[in-house]
Amino acid sequence: MVRAHNYILIYGISILNHVCAATALPSTTKAASAKDIDALYMEKLLANLNTSVDPCVDFYTYACGNWAQHYDNSAYVDVPGYMDFEVNKQLLNALLAANETTNGSDVAQQAVRYYESCVNLEAPALNAFLRYVQKTLNFEWPILRANWQRPWQNDTEFDWLRVVGGLRAFGLSGVFITQDLNLRTTNSTQYLLELHAPQAAAALPTTQILRLKSIEDIFVNFGLTELEAHNVSAKVIALDEAINEALNIGALMNASNTFNASIGNLTRTNVTSLEMNVGDLVELVPEIDWRTYLQHVLGRTVDLNQQLVQTYSIDLPYFRQLPALLAAHTNETIAYYIMLKFMYQLNADLPYNMTDAQKSTHCMRLLRGYMPLAANYLYEQHYYRHRRAASDAALQRMFNKLRANFAQLVAANNLKLNATERAYILAELDGMQLRIGNVPHDASLNLTHFVGAYYAHVHMNASDFYGNHLQLIHSSVRRMQVKLLNEPRTANVSAQLKQIYEYDFETSTSSSPIKIFDNVVLVPYGYLQLPLYDHRLDALLQHSLFGFILAHEIMHAYDLFHIVYDQNGNFNRLGLDVAQHYWGFINCTRQTVLSDIVSENMADVAGLRLAYQTYFGQEDSAGEADKSAKVETTITAGVKSTTITSRQATLADAHNDIAGRRATPSTPLISVARETPLKYGNFTRPQLFFINSVQFLCANMPRIEALNVQAHQLGHDMHDVRVRRNWANLEHFAAAFQCAPDTPMNPSEKCRWW
């Protein structure tokens, strides 16, 4: 499934999870009063600050500079990673607790069996996966032939379409042909199969690139001599190079005259999209037996007239030359190429060289990714159900306030939209929904029975990880492919299933909120706990952090990608007209390549403005920090009192108070207490708003830099760059911290979207 934006930061790229102690806030499942929550929250927040830094010069380091000292754990490098680390530990506890009950649900038992098969796996070996799929596909891998004295049995009867198509059910994609599930641009209630050329090696993650020495080692481990391994590997590399040459953008552009785009800015969003049935594709690219291929991909008979597919003009030249390209290589070389790609895909799923603690969390992450409904169900039952009513209501109120305030920003019309364009924006806003937790939670629904029925076809064996793992992948792929039938469901079942969103592995294992193409902002349960959220927190603390996260996701409905899809999810050319008004912001940011990074920055800038306006109201809050009278909030014994104090304290005073100097009675502050008032910092409300808004981006930046992860791999700027670039565009920030003109966080030219 495509068309979704989310916060997936560093976690999961190359950091292993560990189940071990961490400096953390206690779970919000523990009983605590509102004053305790506020006090604890403020204590942890202020500990993250590095007040030796001038916020007007480097606000990220000011707000997050000491975070790594308190969250020093090799399992994660940033707040999103920490949240997933905690969720994995919590989910393991929930899983074990559910399985130990006398009436433990079948889904809990199935999940435990999968988990046990993973953590108890000894000497992981990829060839076990090869043997499983070999039996299923009734096919022999040349490396696994029982008798090397005889020729490989498929040497003259090898059908790459059948093998690649059949392996799609086990997750393989991007080998010769890439398949994705997509929605029709003109009718978002229907699905189609997207077929396009694979990514060239230069665009692949480094872990997926075939390298001569690495694959030589693989073949030696299979038992070949070094010379044999070298010869086989050289042939595989030659095939890989031929495919990459065929994928050369320049060559494809020369072979196709159906689009106009420059090589430097060429993506599948600015070339011609072609929607058709399979019969049309057969006529367009007769070189490939599409009917046979798709029957193996989908595991069923394909109706040439009914099955919808989508491809792109730039892919057609590649498809037409693919069969001839493969014919220039031996069947054995092609089979080895497919085998290696399949092994590389599954390699990260095996728990190699891990301690017991590392293996435990690794296996829990696999469970979240391949049994997402079961994982969400168990988490909801164990951690969230008891506070759902109060927490959901608070989140929904905040979401509705954000939507109402965005409508006011649209009415203010900074973009100079005409009436039709504004109506287009507001129509989507009016229908936007908030979904909390990725499980159905209708009061009339027996959730345990529903989840059990959902996994009724799954049969886990506690001693067979390889079979379990392939079974779950197969189940996930087939469940997604059923949507291609576009068959109507009964109204009741449909309503329930609409509350379940199935995505790729990385998205399923993340606790981060996500803007879904169905005009929904989905908030997984994992983020709904400290240090990010609790419905009992003071309103400022809620709106400045989680309110900003929600506002950011709301803004994604109108970013460079989503703007062309209307409230029903259908392509609408009016969105292109609206997007023309974005050039002022884009040119102001001086970002020359239109990409997800630009969209993320747009959502940051506009989302921060929206969250700020929603909390402070329509007053001229840019001048809030300059007022001679300030609000001092004291939380005592659960009762919030507000008094007016005198003139604003300087930032130096605030720094001194944090360092331990006693504040004078006239010093404005936000203080938190249990029995007696406890002072936690000299900040105005706007200052604290901005400090808190950054907390979900706090990270160990030196460790991230050591990972050598690039922004384009993540789809957004690095944590520190985001804050320095985007927070500086809000005039309220400079006013709050009294930044001098033309300092880094108060540039003379500020970029505004909405």
Side-chain angles (χ1 to χ4, degrees):
M1 186 66 190
V2 295
R3 301 180 190 169
H5 276 81
N6 62 323
Y7 292 116
I8 298 181
L9 300 187
I10 296 297
Y11 172 76
I13 294 175
S14 58
I15 299 295
L16 291 175
N17 287 339
H18 303 257
V19 178
C20 53
T23 303
L25 293 172
S27 169
T28 53
T29 58
K30 295 181 180 179
S33 66
K35 68 179 186 300
D36 291 332
I37 293 293
D38 280 323
L40 188 59
Y41 189 97
M42 286 297 299
E43 179 182 355
K44 296 294 184 180
L45 183 152
L46 293 174
N48 293 340
L49 304 187
N50 180 353
T51 57
S52 67
V53 176
D54 187 343
C56 297
V57 174
D58 182 358
F59 186 60
Y60 180 81
T61 302
Y62 177 83
C64 290
N66 287 338
W67 179 85
Q69 296 179 19
H70 306 289
Y71 295 82
D72 184 16
N73 192 304
S74 60
Y76 51 81
V77 293
D78 59 9
V79 170
Y82 167 76
M83 299 305 294
D84 281 331
F85 168 79
E86 287 296 305
V87 169
N88 286 339
K89 292 196 299 181
Q90 293 168 335
L91 184 56
L92 176 57
N93 292 334
L95 178 64
L96 297 178
N99 188 58
E100 289 172 0
T101 59
T102 55
N103 60 343
S105 66
D106 182 63
V107 70
Q109 295 173 15
Q110 297 285 358
V112 166
R113 289 173 194 148
Y114 174 77
Y115 171 79
E116 289 179 346
S117 73
C118 181
V119 295
N120 294 328
L121 184 64
E122 300 287 343
L126 283 167
N127 60 353
F129 286 129
L130 297 178
R131 295 185 187 280
Y132 267 93
V133 297
Q134 176 177 265
K135 182 178 180 180
T136 301
L137 298 178
N138 191 27
F139 159 80
E140 180 183 65
W141 296 108
I143 199 70
L144 295 182
R145 55 187 142 180
N147 183 2
W148 276 79
Q149 302 305 313
R150 66 166 174 81
W152 173 44
Q153 72 178 34
N154 296 101
D155 190 37
T156 58
E157 301 176 358
F158 178 71
D159 184 355
W160 67 268
L161 287 169
R162 184 173 76 86
V163 175
V164 172
L167 287 175
R168 179 68 190 108
F170 298 100
L172 183 69
S173 188
V175 177
F176 306 145
I177 300 171
T178 296
Q179 313 92 25
D180 291 312
L181 201 66
N182 209 340
L183 295 168
R184 298 188 67 184
T185 57
T186 56
N187 182 357
S188 65
T189 66
Q190 293 187 323
Y191 291 86
L192 47 70
L193 187 65
E194 184 181 22
L195 301 168
H196 55 84
Q199 287 184 306
L204 291 174
T206 56
T207 56
Q208 299 298 309
I209 297 175
L210 298 181
R211 304 185 192 279
L212 181 62
K213 182 60 171 66
S214 297
I215 60 179
E216 284 178 347
D217 291 342
I218 291 173
F219 284 118
V220 168
N221 288 334
F222 270 115
L224 300 189
T225 67
E226 290 188 2
L227 179 59
E228 291 171 333
H230 174 77
N231 291 337
V232 171
S233 301
K235 293 176 181 178
V236 171
I237 291 297
L239 173 56
D240 192 50
E241 291 174 347
I243 292 171
N244 279 285
E245 179 60 30
L247 293 171
N248 179 275
I249 292 295
L252 293 177
M253 291 179 66
N254 292 333
S256 175
N257 58 7
T258 59
F259 60 90
N260 294 308
S262 66
I263 294 178
N265 197 32
L266 183 61
T267 68
R268 284 192 167 77
T269 60
N270 58 17
V271 299
T272 305
S273 171
L274 306 172
E275 184 178 308
M276 65 195 81
N277 60 34
V278 177
D280 294 331
L281 181 60
V282 169
E283 292 185 9
L284 198 60
V285 187
E287 292 84 356
I288 294 177
D289 185 353
W290 292 105
R291 183 174 193 168
T292 298
Y293 171 69
L294 292 177
Q295 285 177 346
H296 291 301
V297 167
L298 302 176
R300 58 176 171 81
T301 301
V302 173
D303 188 315
L304 295 182
N305 296 318
Q306 294 298 317
Q307 182 59 63
L308 297 173
V309 296
Q310 178 187 43
T311 189
Y312 299 87
S313 56
I314 194 173
D315 296 317
L316 299 182
Y318 167 80
F319 287 150
R320 290 173 181 138
Q321 63 178 300
L322 179 60
L325 183 157
L326 294 177
H329 300 265
T330 67
N331 286 336
E332 185 168 324
T333 298
I334 297 171
Y336 280 137
Y337 182 87
I338 297 170
M339 180 193 78
L340 288 165
K341 286 289 189 178
F342 187 55
M343 292 172 66
Y344 275 45
Q345 171 194 285
L346 290 170
N347 186 57
D349 290 350
L350 288 180
Y352 292 113
N353 302 319
M354 294 183 185
T355 65
D356 289 344
Q358 291 171 334
K359 185 183 288 188
S360 175
T361 311
H362 172 84
C363 295
M364 189 53 58
R365 184 168 181 262
L366 293 179
L367 178 67
R368 290 177 66 189
Y370 292 115
M371 293 187 74
L373 177 59
N376 279 281
Y377 159 74
L378 292 169
Y379 192 93
E380 193 270 349
Q381 293 289 293
H382 198 78
Y383 287 102
Y384 193 71
R385 181 176 56 175
H386 70 282
R387 53 191 165 94
R388 171 180 287 285
S391 183
D392 283 11
L395 286 166
Q396 191 64 60
R397 284 193 299 270
M398 185 158 55
F399 184 73
N400 290 339
K401 289 178 184 177
L402 289 165
R403 290 169 60 231
N405 275 277
F406 181 60
Q408 294 177 10
L409 283 175
V410 174
N413 206 14
N414 178 69
L415 289 179
K416 303 297 188 291
L417 305 177
N418 62 37
T420 303
E421 292 166 340
R422 292 197 301 275
Y424 177 79
I425 297 296
L426 293 174
E428 181 154 8
L429 181 67
D430 184 59
M432 194 177 296
Q433 300 178 48
L434 177 69
R435 298 289 177 88
I436 302 167
N438 197 12
V439 296
H441 46 82
D442 190 310
S444 63
L445 177 68
N446 185 319
L447 187 57
T448 299
H449 289 171
F450 177 84
V451 177
Y454 188 87
Y455 289 107
H457 61 288
V458 171
H459 304 286
M460 298 287 100
N461 182 335
S463 59
D464 183 12
F465 171 75
Y466 303 104
N468 293 341
H469 196 62
L470 290 174
Q471 184 184 162
L472 290 181
I473 294 175
H474 186 277
S475 172
S476 177
V477 171
R478 288 290 187 245
R479 185 178 290 114
M480 295 295 287
Q481 290 176 341
V482 164
K483 298 179 180 181
L484 291 168
L485 296 172
N486 291 315
E487 294 178 344
R489 295 185 176 94
T490 63
N492 187 41
V493 174
S494 178
Q496 296 164 6
L497 290 178
K498 281 183 178 179
Q499 298 182 67
I500 302 171
Y501 295 95
E502 296 167 304
Y503 287 98
D504 58 80
F505 177 84
E506 292 298 335
T507 305
S508 296
T509 59
S510 171
S511 304
S512 305
I514 180 174
K515 170 62 177 68
I516 297 174
F517 186 66
D518 298 2
N519 206 17
V520 168
V521 174
L522 174 65
V523 179
Y525 298 124
Y527 262 35
L528 301 180
Q529 58 182 323
L530 297 177
L532 295 184
Y533 179 76
D534 189 290
H535 66 275
R536 296 165 294 179
L537 283 170
D538 181 83
L540 183 146
L541 300 177
Q542 291 190 50
H543 281 79
S544 55
L545 181 52
F546 217 87
F548 167 55
I549 292 175
L550 291 177
H552 176 105
E553 296 303 326
I554 290 172
M555 290 300 98
H556 271 308
Y558 311 102
D559 66 20
L560 290 173
F561 178 78
H562 288 88
I563 189 60
V564 296
Y565 298 99
D566 63 21
Q567 74 273 21
N568 298 314
N570 297 326
F571 178 81
N572 192 318
R573 298 195 67 85
L574 185 57
L576 295 174
D577 296 334
V578 174
Q580 296 304 311
H581 296 268
Y582 295 176
W583 282 109
F585 174 85
I586 294 169
N587 291 333
C588 177
T589 64
R590 294 173 175 80
Q591 294 176 274
T592 58
V593 177
L594 302 185
S595 65
D596 284 345
I597 294 176
V598 178
S599 288
E600 288 294 333
N601 290 334
M602 294 170 77
D604 274 352
V605 171
L608 189 61
R609 179 178 298 278
L610 174 57
Y612 190 90
Q613 173 180 297
T614 300
Y615 177 74
F616 287 104
Q618 291 301 300
E619 64 189 51
D620 181 17
S621 51
E624 178 88 19
D626 293 325
K627 295 178 180 178
S628 59
K630 289 187 47 187
V631 176
E632 175 182 355
T633 303
T634 304
I635 300 174
T636 307
V639 179
K640 183 186 295 183
S641 61
T642 302
T643 59
I644 302 298
T645 63
S646 60
R647 188 172 181 80
Q648 174 182 347
T650 64
L651 286 175
D653 292 334
H655 297 170
N656 290 337
D657 184 67
I658 294 169
R661 181 179 300 177
R662 183 178 181 84
T664 63
S666 63
T667 303
L669 50 85
I670 288 187
S671 58
V672 190
R674 292 181 176 84
E675 307 264 334
T676 58
L678 298 176
K679 299 175 181 178
Y680 278 92
N682 292 332
F683 297 103
T684 66
R685 288 187 301 156
Q687 287 170 352
L688 187 57
F689 182 96
F690 288 115
I691 291 170
N692 197 41
S693 70
V694 176
Q695 295 305 302
F696 80 103
L697 289 172
C698 288
N700 188 324
M701 293 310 301
R703 285 188 59 206
I704 291 177
E705 291 169 4
L707 294 172
N708 196 31
V709 179
Q710 303 301 312
H712 72 269
Q713 296 173 290
L714 303 177
H716 54 72
D717 281 322
M718 288 299 175
H719 312 51
D720 54 344
V721 175
R722 283 177 71 173
V723 173
R724 293 168 190 144
R725 169 179 283 170
N726 298 328
W727 270 244
N729 283 308
L730 204 66
E731 65 275 13
H732 309 86
F733 176 89
F737 288 95
Q738 297 183 326
C739 297
D742 295 321
T743 50
M745 294 301 296
N746 186 19
S748 57
E749 182 183 29
K750 293 180 174 61
C751 305
R752 179 167 178 171
W753 181 23
W754 290 98

